[in-house]
Amino acid sequence: MIDWLVGVIVLLGGFFALIGALGIVRMPDVLTRMHASTKAGTLGCTLVLIALALRETELTVTLRVLAAIFILVMTAPLAAHAIGRAAVKTGVPLRLRPGSKPPE
């Protein structure tokens, strides 16, 4: 039974990682690409790591998985913020909404 649960969680993690990759390709500007890759990629990786912790029942593996999830959840938003800030400061063009004026 646990193998089925692990399989479903890994497939969900792979699905979210695929959605994040498609978001990078399909989104129009750097900020939306950054958002898609950070959110979906973090969720996908977290789900795969949870599946690993469920499959391997050793305490050391579970603790390492929890540490990896903690580091991922703490650093991904910081990295995304740094990328977005650098993009805005260097003048990377952003896509405007229809009917809006460009910033002056």
Side-chain angles (χ1 to χ4, degrees):
M1 182 66 183
I2 193 76
D3 290 337
W4 284 95
L5 180 63
V6 167
V8 168
I9 294 173
V10 166
L11 285 175
L12 276 173
F15 172 74
F16 281 109
L18 177 66
I19 293 298
L22 287 175
I24 292 172
V25 173
R26 300 278 305 183
M27 294 296 170
D29 62 2
V30 69
L31 295 180
T32 54
R33 288 179 186 159
M34 173 197 60
H35 178 75
S37 66
T38 302
K39 302 303 178 207
T42 301
L43 181 60
C45 187
T46 300
L47 286 173
V48 170
L49 286 170
I50 288 171
L52 173 67
L54 289 174
R55 179 75 177 122
E56 301 296 326
T57 57
E58 295 178 16
L59 181 62
T60 58
V61 173
T62 304
L63 291 176
R64 287 179 183 178
V65 164
L66 289 175
I69 290 172
F70 177 76
I71 290 170
L72 183 67
V73 169
M74 288 293 141
T75 59
L78 295 173
H81 179 76
I83 291 169
R85 186 177 171 111
V88 170
K89 283 194 172 211
T90 58
V92 173
L94 302 177
R95 181 175 170 229
L96 298 175
R97 293 187 200 125
S100 63
K101 296 179 184 176
E104 297 179 16

